[in-house]
Amino acid sequence: MDELERRTRAESPEGRQLADDIAENPICCLTFDPAIPAAVVVWRRYATSLQLRFINEKLLELIVKHRARKLLADDTGFSAVDRADQAWIFQEWMPRAVEAGLKVVASKRPAGYYGRVTVQNVQAHLEPIKIEVFEDLPSAREWLIRYEA
């Protein structure tokens, strides 16, 4: 993780901001909402391959730290992810997230076409994780609060 953080920081000014503060940067916001309880990711804009992997590793750390079984994703600003990164999510990240206890995801649909296509492809490979997609974030949040994971 140290090497990934170093490379993310060196990649660009946005990467440096991301590495400095995972909760407040131009690319995303990662937090934990104890009221749900769930890890929360808010995608604000495109992430490079390196940034995407760094964000997902930090998300996994958050899931482990809080023993989160739920994830709320605001995918409004999420954009295209290349096939190699999608494969990394399916083959490497997802099994570790499941092993850490992740059971259910509620997400708000991305605003852009390529983001929607990417999210649909990722969601098709989320077994055994239960996922529901919503048109607005409050509906996704409320569904997740009621869901027994």
Side-chain angles (χ1 to χ4, degrees):
M1 185 61 184
D2 290 340
E3 176 63 15
L4 183 57
E5 181 175 338
R6 185 193 66 70
R7 291 176 50 217
T8 300
R9 185 179 300 284
E11 183 182 43
S12 66
E14 293 84 6
R16 188 170 33 263
Q17 289 175 306
L18 177 65
D20 285 344
D21 189 353
I22 198 69
E24 190 59 42
N25 60 77
I27 301 163
C28 76
C29 173
L30 286 183
T31 58
F32 181 79
D33 184 341
I36 298 175
V40 180
V41 60
V42 177
W43 290 98
R44 295 182 172 144
R45 59 175 250 203
Y46 172 78
T48 66
S49 176
L50 195 56
Q51 293 164 354
L52 178 82
R53 291 177 189 222
F54 179 77
I55 291 164
N56 277 284
E57 292 297 341
K58 290 303 231 179
L59 179 57
L60 187 57
E61 285 181 1
L62 194 65
I63 290 167
V64 169
K65 177 182 177 181
H66 293 281
R67 295 187 203 129
R69 298 167 64 85
K70 300 176 180 181
L71 171 63
L72 177 62
D74 181 346
D75 292 338
T76 304
F78 195 76
S79 60
V81 173
D82 72 32
R83 290 193 188 276
D85 288 326
Q86 289 181 41
W88 177 82
I89 290 169
F90 308 146
Q91 297 164 6
E92 296 187 35
W93 187 86
M94 192 59 58
R96 291 184 290 137
V98 169
E99 184 178 318
L102 186 63
K103 302 277 185 212
V104 61
V105 176
S107 71
K108 189 229 172 260
R109 194 173 313 280
Y113 172 78
Y114 292 110
R116 287 192 303 270
V117 169
T118 297
V119 167
Q120 287 171 346
N121 191 37
V122 169
Q123 291 167 347
H125 293 85
L126 284 183
E127 292 291 331
I129 294 173
K130 166 83 172 145
I131 185 154
E132 290 291 327
V133 180
F134 298 85
E135 294 301 322
D136 62 89
L137 196 59
S139 296
R141 187 177 189 279
E142 286 304 313
W143 179 83
L144 201 55
I145 287 172
R146 291 189 314 269
Y147 191 89
E148 294 295 323

